[in-house]
Structure formats: structure tokens, C-alpha cells
């Protein structure tokens, strides 16, 4: 019986380690994980025995540090908690996004950026949180206006009539008609609200939209033109202003005359721009305009640019402001999707349409996390509030209903108190003059349910996405290993001056200065400088007790610096070919040394230094590094005694490529 029990224990142990290549303390590393880490961290993973064993040693050391950090509960340090929480939030973002919808939207934006669209609109103003009846009335008004336009009535006539009979509404300190019209000019991607943009880039020229909702109202949009995008435009112009329509014909003739002077080669474009252009900013630059895009200019001006070839002076054309003679120098091409995807994503994340991506993701969660609303609970909650108190200073007060369930979303039960605190935080978004109180409550309630759906997903993200756990654990272990090494090795090596000096004393024999000399070195070209002249100059300088710096300065004055070089330095053997050829044991002036060609030289030896140990300050960086390695090896040896390390040799050796 005892033998049978022993057999079972051994069998169970074998089963538990099957597939486990390494165990360090409580941490297990499977063969699959080892291979993944090896490929990730080794630049050239050859799977040779030497390479694998070297990485195994590194991994054991790393795991020992992590185990020690875990046992010391370093993960609970406030600064590490903040770092890990921030990383978890960043890591979770791709899992909390409808990636398919995001990709579709990015590609749509890129496709839209290939076009320029010219449109105009009639707008019925309606604030975002208007009362339901007010929103319905505004929508019906917009629908009626569209019907008039579709029947063929003149756009400008309809816009004028509808605007004149609409009431005035307050917009801050000014008043405007509830119904107004405007030319949206030419525009490209990410220039308009999403509802308008989505219609504009998918409709045909001449089409009228159904009422499109934006933050400011309902819009009836008509497409006037669609062209391949001009991108960023570099152009020059001569502009002739028409301040009085009676002068229009005179200005036209003047423009034609300037055009003839340019095209005939009589005068240059730049010269005439400086002399005649009424756009003085570009005129002073020879007509060169600041780079611009289609959204910044008169549509009549932009429409002409689509017809122009590059670097050809276009015939004068008329806009509302005057006549233009234009030459386009270059247009900005739209890069391939992959090249601009990061930029588009950056812009999209800061655009209101990013909320559509979130909403798409939230909607997808409803099948995983049922929303169970408590009948009548929301109205009961609202009935306890006074709408006139929700003015920015209201505070939720607990009552008999505070702990009552308001709604259950997935596994989360939200109470009256939970929702009350949310209303307290968001009360500044309530405008009682424009929004019905119950509509305000319902709007926040819907948003609250969305947030609870996302919270459910966050709580289950590791179960649904194992890669999240893997990535987070890797980062967490890296942070813990860094923190424990910083505490035990790096800080100690910087703060333990006694220990550092003792280590230096034990190792300084490995860091020796060779015999050296401090010498003034002369090197010169004998074709231009006489050796006796240099020696006489040096002897005179020493009689006058000049310093080395004074000698160098005076030598550069007395001789042509192109043909002589004088330096002061401390030399080791092999550092200077002139110093290497003289007797270092004889101080003072050396004999002449020929170094090849027309070059000669000599040295004046000030001091001779015998071989000695380098000081701690001279090799501090190297000694600190070695001291850290020394401390780490001692520490790792202690950890190996503290935590059991087991390597499954069969699993390990099966990886070696023979």
C-alpha cells in the first residue's frame, strides 16, 4: 500500500511538471513560453546549446527577482500601483473598441480625403438637448423645406422666405434667425460634422439630403460640385480688386493686358505682381501666396483651380472680389492609407465622431451583458428631485431608496445612490431653459448604462482575451524586476560609499596607469621652419620662465601655424610617435626626431610618472558598474538558496538544434 501511494505521488508530480521547462519559486515557465520569450529577446535565436543555456540563466535570474519582489509585496507601493493601473488602462483600449467599425471609419476618411466637395445648406437651428416637441417641430420644418427644394423651387428664394418668417433666437449676446442658409464652400475629410460629411461624399451632384442632425440643428444640404482633391495648394496670383462695379470693365482690360505682358515674355509674373497686385501680402513676394487648402478660399476661386495645369499662367478670371491671374506651382498628393493611418487615427480620436465608435462597441456588449431595468425605478428616482435645484450646487442626500436597485447590467447592480452621485457630478450640463428635466435624467441614465456595460467588459477582459493577461503580466514582471533591482543594487551602489571604496581597493590592481610623461611636443615642416630657430625660441622661453600655455601661444605668433604644431599633454606609450622615440628617463629637451618625409620634432619632458593604480575618481564609472555586477551576483546567489529552481532537462534539451 505504501509503495502504491509513493507511485501515485511520483506519477502526479510527473504529470504536474510535464510540459514545464522551468520552475522558480511559485513561477512556472512552459516550454512554449520559454521558446516565445527566447525568440522575443534574442536577436538571432539559433537554438544552439550555448545560446539556450545563456538565455536560461538570464531567465532564472529575472524570475528570482520577480519572486522576491512579489514576496516583499512591492506591487502595493503607491507609485507602482499608479504605473500598473495606467498601463492596464492603455492596454485595454484596443479590447474596448469596435476595431472593425474603427477601421471602416478610418478608410472612409481616407477615401473622402481623395475628394473635394462643394455644398450649400439651409439650417433649422435646434440645440442638442431641446425638448422632444421642439426637436420634432424643427425636424418637420426641415422636412417641409426639403420638399420645396425637391419640387424645384429656387434655393436662394426658399432660403430667404423661410429665414424671414422664422423667429429670432438668442445666441449668446446676439440674435439670429432660427432658419438660415450658407455656402459650405469646398471641403474635404474631417472638415464637417459627420452626418453632413457622410452624406456629401456619398451623394451625387445636385442631390438634397434628408434633414441631417448636428449639435446645432437640422440641415438640408445640396451638393454643388465634386472634384479630385487639390490637397495643399502652392500658387501665385496677381489680384485686381473691384471696389466699384462701374470699374469692372476697366479692371478686366487691365487684367488682360497684364496677362499678355506675362505670356509674351515682356514682363515677369513676379515683377507685375509686385507692381500691380492689390493683394499686398502676396504681391510683396512676387505673387507667392501662403500655402492653403480649399476650405480657406472663395468657392468661385477654387472652382477655377481644378481646370489649371501646373506651372502655366491661367487666363484672368472673375470672382466676386475682382480678377485673378493665377499660376499653380504644386498640389499636395494624398498618401497611401497605411502611410497616413496613424495621423488619421490621431485626428479621429479628437473628433466628435469618435463617440460613434464607442457607441458601436457598447451596442455589441448588450448580447453579453443583459440590461435589466427595474420597472418604474427611474421615474421614482426623478420624482424625488426638484429640477430647479439641479443648478450646479445640488448634492445627493441619502434616503430610504438610496440602496434600492435602479438597474442591473450584467453582474453589476446599480443603486439609486450610485446614479444620484452621477447626476450630482453632471448637473452643470443641465440647461433647464432648453431641456426637459426628465429628458436630462434619461440622457444621463442611458449614458450610465453604457458605462456599466463597458465596466462589465473591463472586469472580464482577461477571461475573454488571454493575450491581455499575458501582456500585462509581462509588463508587471518587468516593473517589479526593475524596482527590486533598483532598491537592492543600483541605489545601494550609489549610496554605499564605504562598500564601493572597499571594492575599489580590492580591484584597483586591475586598473594601472602605464609609465607616462608630461611633455611639450614640437612637430614642424623642415621645408619652412629651421630646427635651430625653434630650439632657440624654446630655450629663450624657458629662460624667461614662460608657462607651457604661453610657449604655445608665442610659437603660433613667431611661426606659421600651418607648418608647426605645439601641444602639451600627458602621454602613454604609443600615443605620440615623437614622444615614443625619445628617452623618457631624461627630463628636459630631447634630441631631434625625424618622423618621415619633411617632418621633424622634439619634446621637452617636464615630468616622468612611474606605473601606478588609477584613482577611484578616474575610473568611477567602470568601478560602479563592476560593483553593481558584484552585488547582483551575491544577491542572486542568495535568492537561489531562498527559492527552489528546477529545470526539466528533457524539455530543455529537446529544444537544442544538434
Amino acid at each position: 500500500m505504501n509503495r502504491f501511494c509513493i507511485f501515485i505521488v511520483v506519477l502526479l508530480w510527473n504529470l504536474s511538471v510535464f510540459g514545464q521547462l522551468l520552475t522558480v519559486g511559485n513561477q512556472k515557465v512552459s516550454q512554449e513560453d520559454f521558446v516565445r520569450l527566447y525568440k522575443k529577446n534574442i536577436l538571432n535565436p539559433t537554438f544552439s546549446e550555448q545560446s539556450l543555456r545563456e538565455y536560461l540563466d538570464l531567465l532564472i535570474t529575472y524570475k528570482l527577482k520577480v519572486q522576491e519582489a512579489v514576496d516583499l509585496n512591492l506591487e502595493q507601493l503607491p507609485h507602482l500601483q499608479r504605473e500598473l493601473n495606467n498601463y492596464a488602462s492603455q492596454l485595454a483600449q484596443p479590447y474596448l473598441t469596435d476595431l472593425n467599425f474603427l477601421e471602416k471609419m478610418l478608410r472612409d476618411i481616407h477615401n473622402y480625403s481623395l475628394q473635394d466637395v462643394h455644398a450649400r445648406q439651409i439650417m433649422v437651428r435646434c440645440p442638442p438637448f431641446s425638448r422632444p416637441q421642439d426637436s420634432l417641430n424643427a425636424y418637420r420644418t426641415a422636412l417641409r423645406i426639403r420638399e420645396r427644394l425637391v419640387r424645384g423651387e429656387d434655393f436662394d428664394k426658399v432660403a430667404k422666405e423661410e429665414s424671414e418668417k422664422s423667429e429670432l433666437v438668442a445666441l449668446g449676446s446676439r440674435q439670429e434667425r432660427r432658419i438660415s442658409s450658407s455656402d459650405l464652400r469646398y471641403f474635404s475629410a474631417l472638415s464637417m460634422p459627420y452626418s453632413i460629411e457622410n452624406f456629401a461624399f456619398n451623394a451625387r451632384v445636385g442631390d438634397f439630403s434628408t434633414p441631417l442632425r448636428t449639435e446645432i440643428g437640422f440641415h438640408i444640404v445640396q451638393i454643388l460640385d465634386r472634384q479630385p482633391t487639390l490637397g495643399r495648394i502652392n500658387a501665385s496670383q496677381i489680384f485686381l480688386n473691384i471696389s466699384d462695379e462701374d470699374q469692372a470693365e476697366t479692371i478686366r482690360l487691365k487684367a488682360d493686358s497684364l496677362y499678355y505682358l506675362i505670356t509674351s515674355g515682356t514682363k515677369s509674373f513676379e515683377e507685375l505682381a509686385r507692381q500691380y497686385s492689390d493683394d499686398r501680402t502676396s504681391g510683396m513676394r512676387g505673387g507667392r501666396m501662403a500655402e492653403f487648402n480649399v476650405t480657406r478660399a472663395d468657392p468661385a476661386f477654387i472652382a477655377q483651380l481644378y481646370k489649371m495645369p501646373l506651372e502655366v499662367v491661367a487666363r484672368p478670371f472673375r470672382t466676386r472680389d475682382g480678377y485673378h491671374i493665377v499660376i499653380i506651382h504644386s498640389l499636395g498628393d494624398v498618401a497611401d492609407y497605411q502611410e497616413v493611418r496613424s495621423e488619421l487615427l490621431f485626428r479621429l480620436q479628437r473628433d466628435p465622431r469618435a463617440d460613434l465608435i464607442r457607441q458601436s462597441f457598447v451596442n455589441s456588449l448588450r448580447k453579453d451583458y443583459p440590461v435589466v431595468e427595474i420597472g418604474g425605478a427611474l421615474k421614482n428616482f426623478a420624482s424625488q428631485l426638484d429640477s430647479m435645484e439641479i443648478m450646479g450646487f445640488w448634492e445627493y442626500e441619502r434616503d430610504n431608496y438610496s440602496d434600492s436597485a435602479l438597474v442591473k447590467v450584467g453582474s453589476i447592480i446599480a443603486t439609486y445612490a450610485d446614479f444620484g452621485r452621477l447626476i450630482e457630478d453632471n448637473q452643470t450640463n443641465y440647461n433647464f431653459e432648453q431641456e426637459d428635466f426628465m429628458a436630462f435624467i434619461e440622457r444621463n441614465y442611458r449614458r450610465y448604462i453604457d458605462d456599466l456595460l463597458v465596466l462589465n467588459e473591463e472586469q472580464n477582459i482577461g477571461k475573454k482575451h488571454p493575450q491581455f493577461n499575458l501582456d500585462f503580466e509581462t509588463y508587471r514582471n518587468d516593473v517589479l524586476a526593475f524596482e527590486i533591482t533598483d532598491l537592492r543594487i543600483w541605489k545601494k551602489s550609489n549610496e554605499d560609499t564605504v562598500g564601493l571604496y572597499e571594492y575599489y581597493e580590492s580591484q584597483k590592481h586591475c586598473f594601472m596607469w602605464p609609465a607616462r610623461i608630461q611633455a611639450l611636443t614640437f612637430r614642424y615642416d623642415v621645408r619652412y621652419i629651421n630646427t635651430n630657430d625653434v630650439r632657440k625660441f624654446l630655450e629663450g622661453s624657458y629662460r624667461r620662465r614662460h608657462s607651457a600655455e604661453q610657449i604655445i601661444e608665442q610659437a603660433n605668433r613667431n611661426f606659421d601655424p600651418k607648418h608647426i604644431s605645439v601641444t602639451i599633454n600627458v602621454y602613454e606609450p604609443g600615443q605620440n610617435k615623437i614622444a615614443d622615440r625619445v628617452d623618457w628617463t631624461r627630463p628636459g629637451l630631447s634630441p631631434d626626431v625625424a618622423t618621415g618625409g619633411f617632418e621633424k620634432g622634439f619634446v621637452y619632458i617636464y615630468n616622468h610618472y612611474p606605473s601606478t593604480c588609477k584613482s577611484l575618481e578616474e575610473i568611477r564609472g567602470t568601478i560602479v558598474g563592476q560593483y553593481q555586477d558584484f552585488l547582483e551576483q551575491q544577491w542572486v546567489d542568495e535568492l537561489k538558496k531562498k527559492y527552489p529552481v528546477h529545470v526539466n532537462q528533457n524539455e530543455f534539451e529537446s529544444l537544442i538544434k544538434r
Side-chain angles (χ1 to χ4, degrees):
M1 184 66 177
N2 289 338
R3 290 175 60 191
F4 179 74
C5 290
I6 293 171
F7 170 77
I8 292 296
V9 170
V10 173
L11 176 61
L12 290 174
W13 184 85
N14 284 332
L15 288 173
S16 70
V17 300
F18 179 74
Q20 299 295 334
L21 186 146
L22 174 66
T23 304
V24 179
N26 298 327
Q27 303 171 91
K28 292 178 170 51
V29 180
S30 67
Q31 187 186 77
E32 180 183 358
D33 288 340
F34 181 85
V35 170
R36 176 179 55 81
L37 293 170
Y38 175 71
K39 288 181 176 179
K40 177 183 176 183
N41 295 304
I42 300 301
L43 184 61
N44 182 25
T46 61
F47 285 87
S48 67
E49 182 172 2
Q50 179 182 350
S51 173
L52 287 167
R53 290 202 180 280
E54 287 175 354
Y55 183 69
L56 179 64
D57 290 341
L58 290 173
L59 186 59
I60 289 171
T61 298
Y62 172 79
K63 290 293 184 180
L64 286 168
K65 292 179 180 179
V66 172
Q67 187 68 60
E68 178 77 344
V70 170
D71 285 1
L72 292 175
N73 212 23
L74 294 189
E75 197 170 351
Q76 299 306 314
L77 292 174
H79 70 282
L80 291 192
Q81 282 279 295
R82 288 192 297 271
E83 182 174 351
L84 292 174
N85 288 337
N86 288 338
Y87 179 74
S89 296
Q90 296 172 19
L91 186 62
Q93 287 311 305
Y95 300 101
L96 301 176
T97 301
D98 186 337
L99 295 178
N100 291 331
F101 188 69
L102 170 64
E103 190 65 20
K104 178 184 180 302
M105 188 164 279
L106 288 172
R107 288 192 176 275
D108 283 347
I109 293 171
H110 183 258
N111 290 335
Y112 295 165
S113 68
L114 302 175
Q115 306 173 54
D116 294 333
V117 171
H118 181 202
R120 59 183 175 180
Q121 69 162 349
I122 297 176
M123 179 185 66
V124 181
R125 194 171 295 279
C126 183
F129 305 130
S130 298
R131 294 175 175 83
Q133 189 58 48
D134 293 340
S135 295
L136 181 59
N137 291 339
Y139 176 80
R140 287 173 174 170
T141 299
L143 204 58
R144 177 176 52 76
I145 292 171
R146 181 182 186 276
E147 290 172 356
R148 292 185 64 184
L149 296 172
V150 171
R151 286 198 302 266
E153 292 190 52
D154 181 71
F155 186 96
D156 293 331
K157 175 176 175 291
V158 171
K160 185 173 184 296
E161 290 176 356
E162 294 289 346
S163 177
E164 288 177 349
K165 67 183 182 184
S166 66
E167 70 274 22
L168 290 169
V169 293
L171 294 175
S173 60
R174 71 183 194 281
Q175 288 189 324
E176 287 191 7
R177 294 287 179 182
R178 185 175 297 279
I179 299 176
S180 60
S181 64
S182 62
D183 189 331
L184 298 177
R185 302 192 171 195
Y186 281 90
F187 58 87
S188 192
L190 293 170
S191 301
M192 290 287 163
Y194 179 69
S195 58
I196 294 177
E197 187 174 294
N198 201 38
F199 166 75
F201 288 101
N202 290 285
R204 296 168 301 181
V205 173
D207 282 355
F208 292 99
S209 71
T210 56
L212 303 173
R213 188 66 161 108
T214 70
E215 287 289 299
I216 57 176
F218 292 95
H219 308 252
I220 305 300
V221 176
Q222 184 187 22
I223 307 303
L224 300 176
D225 188 24
R226 174 180 284 102
Q227 298 287 347
T229 187
L230 294 174
R232 302 293 298 176
I233 305 164
N234 282 291
S236 297
Q237 77 159 339
I238 298 172
F239 171 62
L240 303 178
N241 182 47
I242 298 177
S243 56
D244 186 342
E245 196 59 36
D246 292 339
Q247 300 175 347
E249 181 61 19
T250 302
I251 299 298
R252 183 186 68 80
L253 294 173
K254 182 178 180 182
D256 287 342
S257 176
L258 295 177
Y259 175 73
Y260 173 77
L261 290 174
I262 296 168
T263 55
S264 66
T266 306
K267 296 280 187 177
S268 71
F269 187 101
E270 292 77 9
E271 181 183 356
L272 294 178
R274 292 189 183 94
Q275 187 173 355
Y276 293 106
S277 182
D278 290 325
D279 178 3
R280 298 316 305 158
T281 301
S282 65
M284 289 187 295
R285 297 194 296 261
R288 195 77 182 217
M289 305 167 71
E291 187 180 71
F292 62 98
N293 58 37
V294 296
T295 61
R296 295 184 56 191
D298 181 351
F301 178 83
I302 295 297
Q304 295 294 323
L305 302 187
Y306 294 109
K307 308 171 186 177
M308 297 181 189
L310 296 180
E311 298 295 354
V312 175
V313 180
R315 294 191 66 84
F317 61 87
R318 170 79 192 268
T319 66
R320 178 186 57 206
D321 298 322
Y323 278 92
H324 308 257
I325 305 172
V326 176
I327 177 171
I328 299 177
H329 303 296
S330 66
L331 300 172
D333 294 329
V334 178
D336 291 338
Y337 173 69
Q338 292 301 333
E339 293 180 42
V340 294
R341 187 184 184 282
S342 297
E343 178 189 347
L344 294 179
L345 178 60
F346 178 83
R347 295 175 63 189
L348 174 59
Q349 289 170 336
R350 284 150 184 78
D351 190 272
R353 72 192 67 186
D355 289 339
L356 297 174
I357 300 170
R358 182 182 188 275
Q359 195 58 53
S360 175
F361 175 71
V362 168
N363 292 340
S364 72
L365 298 178
R366 293 181 182 273
K367 66 180 184 298
D368 296 329
Y369 309 109
V371 177
V372 181
E373 302 186 51
I374 311 301
L378 186 63
K379 287 186 177 180
N380 186 45
F381 173 88
S383 67
Q384 300 173 47
L385 305 180
D386 184 344
S387 63
M388 298 309 295
E389 293 181 354
I390 311 295
M391 303 288 287
F393 304 101
W394 174 77
E395 294 182 3
Y396 178 78
E397 295 181 2
R398 294 185 60 84
D399 56 27
N400 294 336
Y401 290 97
S402 293
D403 295 325
S404 299
L406 181 71
V407 63
K408 181 180 180 184
V409 181
S411 62
I412 300 173
I413 298 176
T415 65
Y416 280 55
D418 296 329
F419 187 56
R421 285 188 287 270
L422 181 137
I423 293 296
E424 180 182 328
D425 293 339
N426 290 293
Q427 60 186 305
T428 54
N429 295 326
Y430 174 51
N431 185 334
F432 71 92
E433 294 180 341
Q434 295 182 349
E435 187 175 16
D436 179 77
F437 179 65
M438 195 61 198
F440 166 73
I441 295 295
E442 289 175 348
R443 172 166 60 86
N444 281 276
Y445 178 68
R446 290 191 297 271
R447 182 74 182 191
Y448 184 47
I449 289 176
D450 289 349
D451 291 343
L452 292 178
L453 285 165
V454 174
L455 182 58
N456 271 277
E457 183 71 359
E458 288 177 349
Q459 292 175 351
N460 290 281
I461 198 167
K463 296 177 183 177
K464 296 176 71 172
H465 306 284
Q467 186 63 41
F468 175 88
N469 288 340
L470 189 62
D471 292 341
F472 180 76
E473 183 183 8
T474 299
Y475 184 81
R476 170 243 192 199
N477 289 347
D478 287 347
V479 168
L480 291 177
F482 180 92
E483 186 72 16
I484 191 71
T485 305
D486 185 44
L487 291 173
R488 292 296 304 270
I489 305 301
W490 301 327
K491 285 184 178 177
K492 181 178 180 181
S493 66
N494 287 324
E495 297 170 358
D496 182 13
T497 55
V498 174
L500 178 65
Y501 186 76
E502 289 176 351
Y503 180 79
Y504 161 75
E505 285 292 316
S506 69
Q507 299 295 317
K508 66 182 182 181
H509 63 278
C510 299
F511 301 93
M512 302 293 293
W513 284 116
R516 296 169 295 160
I517 57 169
Q518 182 188 36
L520 190 67
T521 307
F522 284 78
R523 192 176 73 249
Y524 51 91
D525 190 324
V526 296
R527 293 174 297 177
Y528 304 99
I529 296 177
N530 186 280
T531 299
N532 290 332
D533 292 342
V534 179
R535 283 183 170 275
K536 287 179 181 178
F537 159 75
L538 182 59
E539 290 167 356
S541 295
Y542 277 115
R543 282 197 302 271
R544 290 188 289 274
R545 300 192 177 188
H546 287 172
S547 67
E549 289 74 17
Q550 289 174 316
I551 293 172
I552 293 171
E553 182 181 354
Q554 193 63 42
N556 287 326
R557 291 178 182 172
N558 290 9
F559 305 99
D560 189 342
K562 291 186 294 184
H563 306 306
I564 191 170
S565 172
V566 186
T567 55
I568 178 72
N569 211 333
V570 175
Y571 296 108
E572 299 177 22
Q575 284 189 330
N576 185 283
K577 59 185 179 182
I578 296 176
D580 283 346
R581 299 186 184 187
V582 302
D583 185 354
W584 286 18
T585 62
R586 298 180 59 183
L589 192 60
S590 75
D592 295 342
V593 174
T595 59
F598 298 101
E599 185 181 82
K600 272 191 176 183
F602 55 84
V603 298
Y604 187 93
I605 298 176
Y606 288 99
N607 294 298
H608 176 260
Y609 305 116
S611 177
T612 185
C613 294
K614 295 181 180 180
S615 70
L616 175 58
E617 288 308 312
E618 289 174 320
I619 55 171
R620 174 171 288 275
T622 302
I623 285 294
V624 168
Q626 290 192 0
Y627 183 48
Q628 289 175 348
D629 293 340
F630 170 74
L631 291 175
E632 183 166 10
Q633 188 57 57
Q634 282 188 327
W635 177 42
V636 170
D637 290 342
E638 293 172 7
L639 293 178
K640 286 180 178 179
K641 295 175 183 177
K642 184 176 182 180
Y643 301 110
V645 176
H646 174 77
V647 179
N648 187 325
Q649 293 298 333
N650 291 333
E651 292 284 335
F652 177 77
E653 291 177 5
S654 69
L655 297 176
I656 300 172
K657 285 188 176 180
R658 304 293 182 182

